[in-house]
Amino acid sequence: MTDSSNLSSLVEEEEEGGGVGVGVGENSQQQIKTIPSAFSSIPDRPATQTSLQKYAPLEWLGYFDQEDDISIAGTNDVFHVYMAGSEGPIVFCLHGGGYSGLSFALSASKIKEKARVVAMDLRGHGKSSTENELDLSIETLSSDVLAVMKTMYKDSFPAIVLVGHSMGGSVAVHVAAKKAIPKLAGLIVVDVVEGTAMASLIHMQKILSSRMQYFFTIGKAVEWSVKGGYLRNIESARLSIPSALKYDDSKKCYTYRTRLEETERYWKGWYEGLSDIFLSCPVPKLLLLAGTDRLDRSLTIGQMQGKFQMVVVRHTGHAIQVYYCVSSIMCYLFEIFI
């Protein structure tokens, strides 16, 4: 057996040429010929996008063209709107509960090529400011939308297509049913039907309470919304989640702008009787769904009778409008106006 005490230790030293030099003995001046590293031919790995960059907030400019605050006469209510496009009919967009008008940003960037877009922050959401932030009754929300339209257009209403997602879909239907818009040209409801919505209400408080409630940065809130499935599209989340948050000075972190859990008494009113009201609206109608399982009996019969058009957009989740796949809306507008 060889006496290991007589063996000098081997020390690897990195050479400037990128190979590995092997020295014999810590103090030895003898150097063995440099041999190329097995890794010297592998290109450097490109820098990976950090979580901070990946989920950083995005500015809405470039998607919408401008924003404005609409003050309602005789009240202290001020509603924030985002606008895009310069000609064509108005596509007036109403977001779902807990979202904001910026949830339509990706859609607006495409629709504005053919029409004008207005996306409103509803009461208690986004940058809107009202005397009673918790009054999310369907009557109040519908009245708010009509008040904003009358303030913006006065006696010269353009042709308007109402688009509403989830809770906003219910608001759009009730606004259309009031027959108060002189030139209402169409109604588009995004992923909300009475049967499924009513059945899900018993789970809503649990869903809301299970959400992460506080975030040290806006980026963390964006990351959670994507990974938690609230918004599957990262770009849309980076655009819209910041407007769904507010800073809590007492806790030194961000939390949700809208206190949905305190509005439960209004939830049933959003969806009760919605299918029949939708079917009764005397305008062309389009229902965008994330799955056919969402149809209830009334809508199934109405669809078979040709009372509305229906398009199923799969693999998007509940917030269909946060994707660029707005070809259904574009085709629908084309059929109405061209």
Side-chain angles (χ1 to χ4, degrees):
M1 181 179 295
T2 307
D3 184 357
S4 61
S5 63
N6 294 326
L7 295 178
S8 300
S9 61
L10 298 179
V11 181
E12 294 185 351
E13 298 175 351
E14 187 174 351
E15 298 292 320
E16 291 184 1
V20 177
V22 181
V24 180
E26 294 182 0
N27 300 317
S28 173
Q29 298 298 316
Q30 181 183 3
Q31 295 290 327
I32 297 178
K33 182 179 179 181
T34 300
I35 52 178
S37 166
F39 302 99
S40 60
S41 61
I42 297 180
D44 293 335
R45 178 183 296 178
T48 58
Q49 190 177 35
T50 66
S51 177
L52 186 64
Q53 296 170 321
K54 185 177 181 179
Y55 300 107
L58 287 175
E59 291 293 329
W60 55 265
L61 279 173
Y63 300 86
F64 289 101
D65 300 329
Q66 58 183 312
E67 61 181 344
D68 199 3
D69 287 316
I70 308 299
S71 299
I72 307 303
T75 74
N76 293 321
D77 297 344
V78 180
F79 293 95
H80 199 74
V81 297
Y82 299 91
M83 295 172 284
S86 58
E87 59 183 16
I90 299 291
V91 180
F92 203 99
C93 303
L94 306 174
H95 60 80
Y99 294 83
S100 77
L102 289 178
S103 63
F104 286 94
L106 268 64
S107 295
S109 69
K110 298 298 182 183
I111 296 174
K112 71 180 184 181
E113 298 173 2
K114 298 291 184 180
R116 290 173 286 172
V117 182
V118 176
M120 171 182 169
D121 285 344
L122 295 172
R123 175 180 296 259
H125 294 74
K127 293 183 179 180
S128 291
S129 174
T130 57
E131 294 176 338
N132 186 351
E133 299 276 81
L134 294 178
D135 181 5
L136 298 189
S137 65
I138 193 64
E139 295 81 10
T140 297
L141 293 173
S142 301
S143 296
D144 288 343
V145 173
L146 287 172
V148 168
M149 288 184 176
K150 290 175 181 177
T151 301
M152 292 180 69
Y153 308 122
K154 297 180 173 58
D155 297 325
S156 301
F157 270 68
I160 291 177
V161 175
L162 277 172
V163 180
H165 167 241
S166 195
M167 178 194 77
S170 174
V171 177
V173 169
H174 281 82
V175 169
K178 291 179 181 293
K179 301 178 182 179
I181 302 175
K183 296 182 180 179
L184 182 61
L187 173 63
I188 300 175
V189 175
V190 183
D191 209 42
V192 58
V193 296
E194 179 182 351
T196 305
M198 292 294 288
S200 68
L201 290 182
I202 60 173
H203 307 294
M204 283 307 300
Q205 284 291 3
K206 183 177 181 180
I207 292 172
L208 291 173
S209 63
S210 66
R211 298 183 300 177
M212 186 175 292
Q213 299 295 319
Y214 301 100
F215 308 93
F216 287 115
T217 66
I218 293 177
K220 285 297 182 184
V222 173
E223 182 176 3
W224 180 88
S225 71
V226 173
K227 292 183 176 179
Y230 181 70
L231 282 176
R232 297 184 184 181
N233 185 288
I234 295 179
E235 184 179 3
S236 180
R238 294 172 67 190
L239 281 160
S240 63
I241 291 300
S243 62
L245 303 172
K246 65 178 181 180
Y247 190 74
D248 188 326
D249 288 313
S250 64
K251 294 183 172 62
K252 305 299 180 185
C253 61
Y254 293 91
T255 189
Y256 298 106
R257 157 77 174 89
T258 307
R259 307 198 303 271
L260 283 176
E261 64 279 0
E262 298 179 37
T263 66
E264 183 175 5
R265 61 186 178 277
Y266 302 119
W267 296 351
K268 186 177 179 181
W270 295 345
Y271 306 119
E272 195 169 43
L274 182 62
S275 293
D276 289 336
I277 299 173
F278 172 73
L279 292 170
S280 69
C281 291
V283 293
K285 297 177 286 292
L286 173 66
L287 182 60
L288 287 178
L289 296 177
T292 53
D293 58 308
R294 288 162 166 75
L295 279 183
D296 56 26
R297 178 178 172 83
S298 295
L299 290 180
T300 300
I301 295 173
Q303 200 268 333
M304 293 174 65
Q305 293 174 339
K307 292 184 177 181
F308 63 93
Q309 295 182 42
M310 183 181 73
V311 175
V312 178
V313 187
R314 302 186 187 278
H315 311 300
T316 59
H318 178 49
I320 298 173
Q321 82 283 5
V322 306
Y323 289 84
Y324 281 114
C325 56
V326 292
S327 57
S328 299
I329 297 178
M330 295 297 290
C331 290
Y332 181 68
L333 294 175
F334 184 85
E335 289 179 10
I336 293 176
F337 296 108
I338 300 178

